[in-house]
Amino acid sequence: MLLKQSFPNKHNNRNDQSNDTLSAPSEQAVHKKRELEVIAKETLRQVIDMMDDTFFLDKMDTIQKDHFLRQINHTVDVVLTEFDKHLSQSDKHKIVKDLSDEILGFGPINPLIHDPTVTEIMVNGYDQIFVERDGKITKTDVCFRDNAHVIHTIDKIITPLGRRIDESSPMVDARLPDGSRVNAIIPPLAVKGPILTIRKFAADPFTSEDLISFGTMTREVAQFLRASVRARVNILVSGGTGSGKTTTLNVLSSFIPDMERIVTIEDAAELQLRQEHVVTLESRPANIEGKGQITIRDLVINSLRMRPDRIVIGEVRGGEALDMLQAMNTGHDGSISTLHANNPRDALARLETMVLMAGMDLPLRAIREQVSSAVDLIIQQSRLNDGSRKIVKVAEVVGMEGDIITMQDIFVYNQTGVDDKGLITGKHTPTGIIPKCIEKMKEYGERINIEIFEEKFNEPSPRRF
């Protein structure tokens, strides 16, 4: 036994040599990474020292940015000379790109922000970054240096908006310059480090034709929704997180005639309306003293004094539901909003609950009468298992029967199966019921062929967004 311990056999020697061979490249890679980080850090320090108070990154044009990148390149050469180091052209290019992203953009996630295939960026920690592509979530090899680097990036996003994040206010909602929605939460609420979530929106907003090509809805559904919006029908878009509610809300808002005055109300302005006469309002959190908060409800009340033709609320989630319903019932018809719910019936129940959150001690029947007279259509949106988004139901609120709000489905999406690629197959079909709001459409001169409520349609394209 002692001999065996003192003199390992040749197979063990071979394994040890193999392990040494495997560990050597990894150690070299770690050493090289640290070396590049040191050079990048020193370059960043010198570049920042060159910048003075008259240097405004957000006001630089293309020529100035090109000149600035050349300065970074030159500074890298200076630092390499100081450190007596030589780097390959690819390593040097990587340092310049990382520094330009850090100074001109939002650090390591800057390429992901500009990647048109990425729809969501989720930073679960400085070394864990996930993205969503085509409805599927995958982990990336991108990472921050440490938690402080993540917080620095968050500050860079929210500071121009007049928002702050610290231990006394560890949560914040914001937006990127392109309208992408940003949420950040830091310790002590986020136990393992700062968390950053970015919901991206297309630079060129999706149109109804895009949603038809994606299979989100059919041309007949789009025709009905377009006529509904132009006929000033009150619409709620219901669905879960990431189901495409905001995208559908954007498309519905695009149907509003150009001459009408539109007031949009959101927590973080992200709607992309192309009409000329648009007023955008955004809520505001309390300041460091706990004062100055402006809620969605405050903005809804104020918007009624702004002579709106349409009120578009990004999402209803509290007491503002009561003021929205009153607006719909007092001449501000044609309003559109979204809320979280699993189906149209649940959407009405949530609406009742949110009205009670306004602090008004109203009887349930009175609330339901308000809801049934205010809301005309509910569009139910879902994200299916294959990552595709579909309008799975278009339901009309008919009225009251006793104490119950009655509804009828106009269009439904019927899933038929899954194809060889794992994509869900199905089709939108009408229920055969002619909606009651068809009479209102006629009053506004919107002509719609009632045969679309009876015919069977072809299966939509399986493309996804």
Side-chain angles (χ1 to χ4, degrees), residues 217-232:
M217 60 182 174
T218 60
R219 192 168 300 279
E220 289 76 13
V221 174
Q223 181 184 348
F224 172 66
L225 295 181
R226 181 181 184 279
S228 299
V229 172
R230 296 183 70 85
R232 304 183 71 86

Side-chain angles (χ1 to χ4, degrees), residues 149-416:
H149 193 192
V150 182
I151 293 178
H152 171 75
T153 301
I154 295 171
D155 284 333
K156 195 170 184 181
I157 293 172
I158 66 176
T159 300
L161 303 176
R163 311 234 168 154
R164 64 184 179 85
I165 190 167
D166 50 40
E167 286 191 6
S168 63
S169 179
M171 297 185 296
V172 69
D173 286 313
R175 67 182 187 279
L176 294 178
D178 64 358
S180 298
R181 182 194 310 164
V182 177
N183 174 267
I185 181 168
I186 64 171
L189 301 187
V191 179
K192 295 184 179 180
I195 309 297
L196 176 65
T197 310
I198 300 175
R199 171 76 57 80
K200 288 176 57 184
F201 296 100
D204 185 21
F206 288 130
T207 64
S208 59
E209 289 297 323
D210 291 322
L211 297 196
I212 292 169
S213 67
F214 296 146
T216 302
M217 60 182 174
T218 60
R219 192 168 300 279
E220 289 76 13
V221 174
Q223 181 184 348
F224 172 66
L225 295 181
R226 181 181 184 279
S228 299
V229 172
R230 296 183 70 85
R232 304 183 71 86
V233 171
N234 293 322
I235 301 174
L236 287 180
V237 182
S238 166
T241 300
S243 59
K245 298 186 301 297
T246 303
T247 299
T248 300
L249 181 61
N250 257 323
V251 171
L252 293 175
S253 300
S254 69
F255 296 146
I256 299 174
D258 290 336
M259 71 288 297
E260 295 190 12
R261 178 176 171 86
I262 308 168
V263 178
T264 68
I265 302 171
E266 303 169 85
D267 271 329
E270 58 195 23
L271 291 175
Q272 298 168 296
L273 274 61
R274 294 299 179 90
Q275 291 88 337
E276 186 177 2
H277 204 168
V278 178
V279 177
T280 303
L281 304 180
E282 188 177 68
S283 64
R284 186 179 71 184
N287 60 19
I288 195 169
E289 298 173 351
K291 300 177 181 178
Q293 182 182 22
I294 305 296
T295 64
I296 292 287
R297 188 178 185 189
D298 296 328
L299 296 177
V300 171
I301 295 171
N302 185 79
S303 70
L304 300 178
R305 307 186 187 104
M306 300 174 67
R307 200 257 177 229
D309 288 313
R310 308 275 186 147
I311 300 175
V312 179
I313 303 176
E315 183 181 341
V316 179
R317 58 167 68 93
E320 63 270 11
L322 176 60
D323 301 288
M324 181 189 72
L325 293 176
Q326 289 180 327
M328 290 177 172
N329 282 323
T330 54
H332 296 92
D333 49 354
S335 298
I336 313 172
S337 185
T338 74
L339 79 166
H340 281 77
N342 294 326
N343 55 62
R345 178 62 62 182
D346 284 353
L348 294 181
R350 278 215 68 211
L351 207 54
E352 294 171 11
T353 304
M354 289 187 286
V355 169
L356 293 173
M357 290 169 65
M360 307 291 286
D361 189 16
L362 297 173
L364 191 58
R365 180 176 176 83
I367 295 174
R368 289 181 176 174
E369 287 177 348
Q370 282 264 353
V371 171
S372 65
S373 62
V375 180
D376 298 311
L377 284 181
I378 298 178
I379 301 170
Q380 185 66 35
Q381 188 110 2
S382 292
R383 183 172 66 173
L384 306 184
N385 291 336
D386 64 350
S388 63
R389 277 89 164 177
K390 306 284 186 186
I391 291 177
V392 295
K393 193 170 288 187
V394 178
E396 182 182 35
V397 178
V398 179
M400 294 276 294
E401 283 187 8
D403 290 337
I404 305 299
I405 300 175
T406 57
M407 304 173 65
Q408 59 186 15
D409 294 338
I410 309 301
F411 294 96
V412 295
Y413 178 78
N414 294 315
Q415 182 177 334
T416 57

Side-chain angles (χ1 to χ4, degrees), residues 444-457:
Y444 279 85
E446 293 298 319
R447 297 181 180 181
I448 188 166
N449 189 350
I450 62 172
E451 290 182 357
I452 68 170
F453 304 112
E454 302 170 359
E455 296 176 350
K456 304 298 181 183
F457 311 129

